Amino acid sequence: MSWYFKYILMILLLLNEAPTCVSGVLGATHVEIEHHLEMGRKLLAAGQLAEALSHYHSAVEGDSKNYLTYYKRAAVFLAMGKSKSALPDLTKSIQLKPDFLAARLQRGNILLKQGNTQEAREDFEAVLQRSPDHEEAQDQLMRANELEELQEEAHAAYHQGDYTAISLQISPWDPESRELRAECYIRMGDPQKAIQDLTPTTRLRNDNRAAFLKLSMLHYSLGDHHESLNHIRECLKLDQDDKECFSHYKQVKKLSKQLDAAEELIQQDRYQEAIDKYESVMKTEPNVPYYTNLAKERICFCLVKINLAQEAIDVCSEAHQRDPRNANVLRDRAEAYILNQEYEKAVEDYLEAREFDSEGERIDLKEGLERAQKLLKISRKRDYYKILGVSRNANKQEIIKAYRKLAQQWHPDNFQSEAEKKEAEKKFIDIASAKEVLTDPEMRQKFDAGEDPLDPENQQGGGGGGQGWPYHFNPFESGGSFHFKFHHN
């Protein structure tokens, strides 16, 4: 139970002891009205506010001339957090009994929280006129004067282009001050804080379409298109013919639909279609940097997935320039560099990406870096893709074709001098080794993971060092002539 609820309950308990004048204007009997008041008090004490309110409604209907009944219902509204509903009852209570100081004080407090400093001051002064030593009224009157002065200074500063009004003290239920401070935050480039101030104003003002529109536009600018769509729909609920809201709604809905569709295509591995959809996103919204940055990032990702290495590097590099701290872009460019067999650059990108993972929790960056480092290490020994001159996504037919061409070119029988034959032997062994690894799915998978399956260090009980022939067989060791013959796999 909150302190405020306890405070309201205490007031009602004290008032319950006061005599209640019952007139039964609408035909309710004295007993019926007393029953409703008693039930209201008990239910309020039990925290059943809605049920209590129902009984106070009945009491007010049965006795519309009783200032205390209105006051008690106002107290329940306040306990429910409905200050707007409490105000008319407090005003009615004061009209029926102008010297009812408790109602004056309570109304003044609400008006002050709403930022209505002038009206609040009038209520506090009325209390002090009848009770000059009333401490709470004295304190609240001082606060009302101070707040009014600060509001005037803030408005003057804002109109002069001084946005230090962001330090403005806010009355919790004052939409005008919140809207002013939100505007200052917008001018100062802090949309998140502007959103925090604007959100309550949608409840503090009736039909606050302007706030819903502004909130939608702020969320839109931050890339939160779903939240933007929610707010603009709230505006249209208030008035479906609002031109500004409807115009923005069409834009947000179209963009949101494209973004959701693009991500769905990625989930379905339909990467080229996703690229096309993100191209449409950039045409739909060319003026908000967030969406272009996002589109470039996701296109970069998709190009890697369809093994278009150089195109991916170009798009990823542009995305990196636009958003240098985006770890996803660096990760995807690193993968594009791996596809392009530029392992040093891949390692550099993964290292940079990990700098932006302050918690060190991203497994994809850790594993990616380890793989890039392994591939770099292997490439400094033998890179079977480079030996055959094929891409990392080459199929078996392309690998065999490249192997045959190079094997014909570098067969030792094609060379005369011993030095040339030795060099050709070395090349021929590397070419055959590359073909052996890359046409065997298991061996190729190991190599792609950063392990050379023909490296003696990686073989159990492996013998001999240096450049080995697959399965430790070297056709040139016999010293005799070797007749080269192609085997069609």
Side-chain angles (χ1 to χ4, degrees), residues 225-247:
H225 55 98
H226 288 132
E227 196 63 31
S228 176
L229 197 56
N230 290 338
H231 281 295
I232 205 62
R233 280 174 174 155
E234 290 299 321
C235 178
L236 291 174
K237 283 180 186 177
L238 293 169
D239 182 359
Q240 62 182 0
D241 297 322
D242 188 297
K243 291 182 180 179
E244 283 188 279
C245 287
F246 186 68
S247 174

PDB file of all heavy atoms in Angstrom, residues 225-247:
ATOM      1  N   HIS A 225      10.588   1.215 -35.840  1.00  0.00           N
ATOM      2  CA  HIS A 225       9.429   1.414 -36.712  1.00  0.00           C
ATOM      3  C   HIS A 225       8.161   0.773 -36.150  1.00  0.00           C
ATOM      4  O   HIS A 225       7.061   1.261 -36.407  1.00  0.00           O
ATOM      5  CB  HIS A 225       9.722   0.890 -38.125  1.00  0.00           C
ATOM      6  CG  HIS A 225      10.161  -0.542 -38.188  1.00  0.00           C
ATOM      7  ND1 HIS A 225       9.312  -1.567 -38.484  1.00  0.00           N
ATOM      8  CD2 HIS A 225      11.378  -1.098 -37.981  1.00  0.00           C
ATOM      9  CE1 HIS A 225       9.980  -2.700 -38.481  1.00  0.00           C
ATOM     10  NE2 HIS A 225      11.239  -2.455 -38.175  1.00  0.00           N
ATOM     11  N   HIS A 226       8.301  -0.302 -35.386  1.00  0.00           N
ATOM     12  CA  HIS A 226       7.103  -0.915 -34.805  1.00  0.00           C
ATOM     13  C   HIS A 226       6.462   0.011 -33.763  1.00  0.00           C
ATOM     14  O   HIS A 226       5.230   0.186 -33.746  1.00  0.00           O
ATOM     15  CB  HIS A 226       7.460  -2.261 -34.163  1.00  0.00           C
ATOM     16  CG  HIS A 226       7.771  -3.332 -35.164  1.00  0.00           C
ATOM     17  ND1 HIS A 226       8.876  -4.147 -35.077  1.00  0.00           N
ATOM     18  CD2 HIS A 226       7.129  -3.702 -36.303  1.00  0.00           C
ATOM     19  CE1 HIS A 226       8.898  -4.977 -36.102  1.00  0.00           C
ATOM     20  NE2 HIS A 226       7.853  -4.724 -36.866  1.00  0.00           N
ATOM     21  N   GLU A 227       7.285   0.597 -32.910  1.00  0.00           N
ATOM     22  CA  GLU A 227       6.761   1.517 -31.905  1.00  0.00           C
ATOM     23  C   GLU A 227       6.193   2.772 -32.568  1.00  0.00           C
ATOM     24  O   GLU A 227       5.188   3.327 -32.124  1.00  0.00           O
ATOM     25  CB  GLU A 227       7.858   1.890 -30.906  1.00  0.00           C
ATOM     26  CG  GLU A 227       7.362   2.524 -29.621  1.00  0.00           C
ATOM     27  CD  GLU A 227       6.478   1.606 -28.808  1.00  0.00           C
ATOM     28  OE1 GLU A 227       6.664   0.377 -28.855  1.00  0.00           O
ATOM     29  OE2 GLU A 227       5.555   2.125 -28.128  1.00  0.00           O
ATOM     30  N   SER A 228       6.851   3.210 -33.627  1.00  0.00           N
ATOM     31  CA  SER A 228       6.359   4.359 -34.391  1.00  0.00           C
ATOM     32  C   SER A 228       4.961   4.077 -34.938  1.00  0.00           C
ATOM     33  O   SER A 228       4.056   4.924 -34.869  1.00  0.00           O
ATOM     34  CB  SER A 228       7.316   4.662 -35.546  1.00  0.00           C
ATOM     35  OG  SER A 228       6.812   5.711 -36.345  1.00  0.00           O
ATOM     36  N   LEU A 229       4.779   2.874 -35.450  1.00  0.00           N
ATOM     37  CA  LEU A 229       3.481   2.485 -36.005  1.00  0.00           C
ATOM     38  C   LEU A 229       2.406   2.441 -34.912  1.00  0.00           C
ATOM     39  O   LEU A 229       1.268   2.875 -35.126  1.00  0.00           O
ATOM     40  CB  LEU A 229       3.618   1.120 -36.682  1.00  0.00           C
ATOM     41  CG  LEU A 229       2.521   0.687 -37.653  1.00  0.00           C
ATOM     42  CD1 LEU A 229       2.319   1.712 -38.753  1.00  0.00           C
ATOM     43  CD2 LEU A 229       2.860  -0.677 -38.247  1.00  0.00           C
ATOM     44  N   ASN A 230       2.779   1.948 -33.734  1.00  0.00           N
ATOM     45  CA  ASN A 230       1.824   1.896 -32.616  1.00  0.00           C
ATOM     46  C   ASN A 230       1.322   3.289 -32.242  1.00  0.00           C
ATOM     47  O   ASN A 230       0.125   3.497 -32.031  1.00  0.00           O
ATOM     48  CB  ASN A 230       2.476   1.240 -31.392  1.00  0.00           C
ATOM     49  CG  ASN A 230       2.711  -0.242 -31.593  1.00  0.00           C
ATOM     50  OD1 ASN A 230       2.061  -0.872 -32.431  1.00  0.00           O
ATOM     51  ND2 ASN A 230       3.636  -0.810 -30.843  1.00  0.00           N
ATOM     52  N   HIS A 231       2.237   4.254 -32.148  1.00  0.00           N
ATOM     53  CA  HIS A 231       1.859   5.611 -31.740  1.00  0.00           C
ATOM     54  C   HIS A 231       0.996   6.309 -32.793  1.00  0.00           C
ATOM     55  O   HIS A 231       0.031   7.010 -32.452  1.00  0.00           O
ATOM     56  CB  HIS A 231       3.105   6.444 -31.440  1.00  0.00           C
ATOM     57  CG  HIS A 231       3.698   6.162 -30.096  1.00  0.00           C
ATOM     58  ND1 HIS A 231       3.043   6.435 -28.921  1.00  0.00           N
ATOM     59  CD2 HIS A 231       4.892   5.627 -29.746  1.00  0.00           C
ATOM     60  CE1 HIS A 231       3.810   6.084 -27.898  1.00  0.00           C
ATOM     61  NE2 HIS A 231       4.924   5.585 -28.371  1.00  0.00           N
ATOM     62  N   ILE A 232       1.347   6.126 -34.055  1.00  0.00           N
ATOM     63  CA  ILE A 232       0.575   6.826 -35.088  1.00  0.00           C
ATOM     64  C   ILE A 232      -0.821   6.209 -35.215  1.00  0.00           C
ATOM     65  O   ILE A 232      -1.794   6.901 -35.582  1.00  0.00           O
ATOM     66  CB  ILE A 232       1.320   6.821 -36.455  1.00  0.00           C
ATOM     67  CG1 ILE A 232       0.859   8.006 -37.315  1.00  0.00           C
ATOM     68  CG2 ILE A 232       1.182   5.514 -37.173  1.00  0.00           C
ATOM     69  CD1 ILE A 232       1.148   9.356 -36.715  1.00  0.00           C
ATOM     70  N   ARG A 233      -0.951   4.942 -34.898  1.00  0.00           N
ATOM     71  CA  ARG A 233      -2.287   4.319 -34.877  1.00  0.00           C
ATOM     72  C   ARG A 233      -3.141   4.908 -33.750  1.00  0.00           C
ATOM     73  O   ARG A 233      -4.358   5.067 -33.903  1.00  0.00           O
ATOM     74  CB  ARG A 233      -2.146   2.813 -34.710  1.00  0.00           C
ATOM     75  CG  ARG A 233      -1.791   2.088 -36.016  1.00  0.00           C
ATOM     76  CD  ARG A 233      -1.520   0.625 -35.805  1.00  0.00           C
ATOM     77  NE  ARG A 233      -1.331  -0.074 -37.074  1.00  0.00           N
ATOM     78  CZ  ARG A 233      -0.643  -1.203 -37.205  1.00  0.00           C
ATOM     79  NH1 ARG A 233      -0.081  -1.760 -36.134  1.00  0.00           N
ATOM     80  NH2 ARG A 233      -0.526  -1.776 -38.385  1.00  0.00           N
ATOM     81  N   GLU A 234      -2.497   5.230 -32.612  1.00  0.00           N
ATOM     82  CA  GLU A 234      -3.227   5.856 -31.506  1.00  0.00           C
ATOM     83  C   GLU A 234      -3.758   7.224 -31.925  1.00  0.00           C
ATOM     84  O   GLU A 234      -4.857   7.630 -31.537  1.00  0.00           O
ATOM     85  CB  GLU A 234      -2.322   5.993 -30.280  1.00  0.00           C
ATOM     86  CG  GLU A 234      -1.973   4.674 -29.604  1.00  0.00           C
ATOM     87  CD  GLU A 234      -3.206   3.948 -29.085  1.00  0.00           C
ATOM     88  OE1 GLU A 234      -4.127   4.618 -28.556  1.00  0.00           O
ATOM     89  OE2 GLU A 234      -3.272   2.713 -29.215  1.00  0.00           O
ATOM     90  N   CYS A 235      -2.973   7.935 -32.718  1.00  0.00           N
ATOM     91  CA  CYS A 235      -3.423   9.241 -33.219  1.00  0.00           C
ATOM     92  C   CYS A 235      -4.664   9.071 -34.087  1.00  0.00           C
ATOM     93  O   CYS A 235      -5.639   9.817 -33.953  1.00  0.00           O
ATOM     94  CB  CYS A 235      -2.300   9.901 -34.031  1.00  0.00           C
ATOM     95  SG  CYS A 235      -2.761  11.490 -34.740  1.00  0.00           S
ATOM     96  N   LEU A 236      -4.637   8.064 -34.953  1.00  0.00           N
ATOM     97  CA  LEU A 236      -5.765   7.857 -35.866  1.00  0.00           C
ATOM     98  C   LEU A 236      -6.999   7.317 -35.139  1.00  0.00           C
ATOM     99  O   LEU A 236      -8.119   7.490 -35.618  1.00  0.00           O
ATOM    100  CB  LEU A 236      -5.361   6.902 -36.998  1.00  0.00           C
ATOM    101  CG  LEU A 236      -4.352   7.487 -37.990  1.00  0.00           C
ATOM    102  CD1 LEU A 236      -3.899   6.429 -38.983  1.00  0.00           C
ATOM    103  CD2 LEU A 236      -4.944   8.694 -38.720  1.00  0.00           C
ATOM    104  N   LYS A 237      -6.790   6.683 -34.006  1.00  0.00           N
ATOM    105  CA  LYS A 237      -7.939   6.259 -33.204  1.00  0.00           C
ATOM    106  C   LYS A 237      -8.716   7.476 -32.702  1.00  0.00           C
ATOM    107  O   LYS A 237      -9.934   7.450 -32.576  1.00  0.00           O
ATOM    108  CB  LYS A 237      -7.482   5.418 -32.004  1.00  0.00           C
ATOM    109  CG  LYS A 237      -7.108   3.986 -32.345  1.00  0.00           C
ATOM    110  CD  LYS A 237      -6.674   3.253 -31.079  1.00  0.00           C
ATOM    111  CE  LYS A 237      -6.160   1.864 -31.414  1.00  0.00           C
ATOM    112  NZ  LYS A 237      -5.675   1.163 -30.185  1.00  0.00           N
ATOM    113  N   LEU A 238      -7.987   8.550 -32.412  1.00  0.00           N
ATOM    114  CA  LEU A 238      -8.624   9.770 -31.925  1.00  0.00           C
ATOM    115  C   LEU A 238      -9.328  10.520 -33.056  1.00  0.00           C
ATOM    116  O   LEU A 238     -10.361  11.151 -32.842  1.00  0.00           O
ATOM    117  CB  LEU A 238      -7.576  10.680 -31.260  1.00  0.00           C
ATOM    118  CG  LEU A 238      -6.958  10.130 -29.964  1.00  0.00           C
ATOM    119  CD1 LEU A 238      -5.765  10.987 -29.555  1.00  0.00           C
ATOM    120  CD2 LEU A 238      -7.993  10.096 -28.851  1.00  0.00           C
ATOM    121  N   ASP A 239      -8.731  10.439 -34.267  1.00  0.00           N
ATOM    122  CA  ASP A 239      -9.362  11.095 -35.423  1.00  0.00           C
ATOM    123  C   ASP A 239      -8.805  10.449 -36.682  1.00  0.00           C
ATOM    124  O   ASP A 239      -7.679  10.739 -37.105  1.00  0.00           O
ATOM    125  CB  ASP A 239      -9.083  12.596 -35.432  1.00  0.00           C
ATOM    126  CG  ASP A 239      -9.766  13.311 -36.600  1.00  0.00           C
ATOM    127  OD1 ASP A 239     -10.430  12.631 -37.405  1.00  0.00           O
ATOM    128  OD2 ASP A 239      -9.631  14.535 -36.699  1.00  0.00           O
ATOM    129  N   GLN A 240      -9.581   9.567 -37.285  1.00  0.00           N
ATOM    130  CA  GLN A 240      -9.107   8.835 -38.465  1.00  0.00           C
ATOM    131  C   GLN A 240      -8.907   9.737 -39.680  1.00  0.00           C
ATOM    132  O   GLN A 240      -8.273   9.334 -40.661  1.00  0.00           O
ATOM    133  CB  GLN A 240     -10.079   7.718 -38.812  1.00  0.00           C
ATOM    134  CG  GLN A 240     -11.473   8.187 -39.183  1.00  0.00           C
ATOM    135  CD  GLN A 240     -12.410   7.035 -39.482  1.00  0.00           C
ATOM    136  OE1 GLN A 240     -12.014   5.875 -39.418  1.00  0.00           O
ATOM    137  NE2 GLN A 240     -13.666   7.352 -39.806  1.00  0.00           N
ATOM    138  N   ASP A 241      -9.428  10.954 -39.623  1.00  0.00           N
ATOM    139  CA  ASP A 241      -9.294  11.885 -40.752  1.00  0.00           C
ATOM    140  C   ASP A 241      -8.166  12.897 -40.562  1.00  0.00           C
ATOM    141  O   ASP A 241      -8.024  13.822 -41.375  1.00  0.00           O
ATOM    142  CB  ASP A 241     -10.607  12.629 -40.972  1.00  0.00           C
ATOM    143  CG  ASP A 241     -11.742  11.689 -41.360  1.00  0.00           C
ATOM    144  OD1 ASP A 241     -11.472  10.742 -42.118  1.00  0.00           O
ATOM    145  OD2 ASP A 241     -12.875  11.899 -40.894  1.00  0.00           O
ATOM    146  N   ASP A 242      -7.377  12.740 -39.484  1.00  0.00           N
ATOM    147  CA  ASP A 242      -6.259  13.656 -39.251  1.00  0.00           C
ATOM    148  C   ASP A 242      -5.242  13.501 -40.392  1.00  0.00           C
ATOM    149  O   ASP A 242      -4.631  12.439 -40.564  1.00  0.00           O
ATOM    150  CB  ASP A 242      -5.597  13.343 -37.895  1.00  0.00           C
ATOM    151  CG  ASP A 242      -4.559  14.378 -37.510  1.00  0.00           C
ATOM    152  OD1 ASP A 242      -3.554  14.506 -38.236  1.00  0.00           O
ATOM    153  OD2 ASP A 242      -4.744  15.050 -36.478  1.00  0.00           O
ATOM    154  N   LYS A 243      -5.066  14.550 -41.185  1.00  0.00           N
ATOM    155  CA  LYS A 243      -4.239  14.468 -42.394  1.00  0.00           C
ATOM    156  C   LYS A 243      -2.766  14.192 -42.088  1.00  0.00           C
ATOM    157  O   LYS A 243      -2.130  13.370 -42.753  1.00  0.00           O
ATOM    158  CB  LYS A 243      -4.380  15.760 -43.211  1.00  0.00           C
ATOM    159  CG  LYS A 243      -5.750  15.935 -43.846  1.00  0.00           C
ATOM    160  CD  LYS A 243      -5.817  17.200 -44.688  1.00  0.00           C
ATOM    161  CE  LYS A 243      -7.199  17.350 -45.327  1.00  0.00           C
ATOM    162  NZ  LYS A 243      -7.281  18.599 -46.134  1.00  0.00           N
ATOM    163  N   GLU A 244      -2.228  14.893 -41.093  1.00  0.00           N
ATOM    164  CA  GLU A 244      -0.815  14.706 -40.765  1.00  0.00           C
ATOM    165  C   GLU A 244      -0.555  13.290 -40.276  1.00  0.00           C
ATOM    166  O   GLU A 244       0.410  12.635 -40.689  1.00  0.00           O
ATOM    167  CB  GLU A 244      -0.381  15.715 -39.700  1.00  0.00           C
ATOM    168  CG  GLU A 244      -0.158  17.115 -40.208  1.00  0.00           C
ATOM    169  CD  GLU A 244       0.456  18.006 -39.142  1.00  0.00           C
ATOM    170  OE1 GLU A 244      -0.305  18.499 -38.290  1.00  0.00           O
ATOM    171  OE2 GLU A 244       1.679  18.180 -39.156  1.00  0.00           O
ATOM    172  N   CYS A 245      -1.414  12.818 -39.388  1.00  0.00           N
ATOM    173  CA  CYS A 245      -1.233  11.476 -38.838  1.00  0.00           C
ATOM    174  C   CYS A 245      -1.394  10.414 -39.917  1.00  0.00           C
ATOM    175  O   CYS A 245      -0.636   9.441 -39.973  1.00  0.00           O
ATOM    176  CB  CYS A 245      -2.209  11.217 -37.699  1.00  0.00           C
ATOM    177  SG  CYS A 245      -1.789  12.114 -36.180  1.00  0.00           S
ATOM    178  N   PHE A 246      -2.374  10.596 -40.797  1.00  0.00           N
ATOM    179  CA  PHE A 246      -2.616   9.596 -41.840  1.00  0.00           C
ATOM    180  C   PHE A 246      -1.462   9.547 -42.836  1.00  0.00           C
ATOM    181  O   PHE A 246      -1.051   8.468 -43.278  1.00  0.00           O
ATOM    182  CB  PHE A 246      -3.927   9.887 -42.566  1.00  0.00           C
ATOM    183  CG  PHE A 246      -4.296   8.812 -43.549  1.00  0.00           C
ATOM    184  CD1 PHE A 246      -4.651   7.547 -43.106  1.00  0.00           C
ATOM    185  CD2 PHE A 246      -4.267   9.058 -44.911  1.00  0.00           C
ATOM    186  CE1 PHE A 246      -4.980   6.540 -44.015  1.00  0.00           C
ATOM    187  CE2 PHE A 246      -4.584   8.061 -45.817  1.00  0.00           C
ATOM    188  CZ  PHE A 246      -4.950   6.805 -45.363  1.00  0.00           C
ATOM    189  N   SER A 247      -0.929  10.713 -43.172  1.00  0.00           N
ATOM    190  CA  SER A 247       0.197  10.776 -44.105  1.00  0.00           C
ATOM    191  C   SER A 247       1.416  10.047 -43.530  1.00  0.00           C
ATOM    192  O   SER A 247       2.075   9.250 -44.219  1.00  0.00           O
ATOM    193  CB  SER A 247       0.552  12.234 -44.407  1.00  0.00           C
ATOM    194  OG  SER A 247       1.712  12.307 -45.194  1.00  0.00           O
TER     195      SER A 247
END
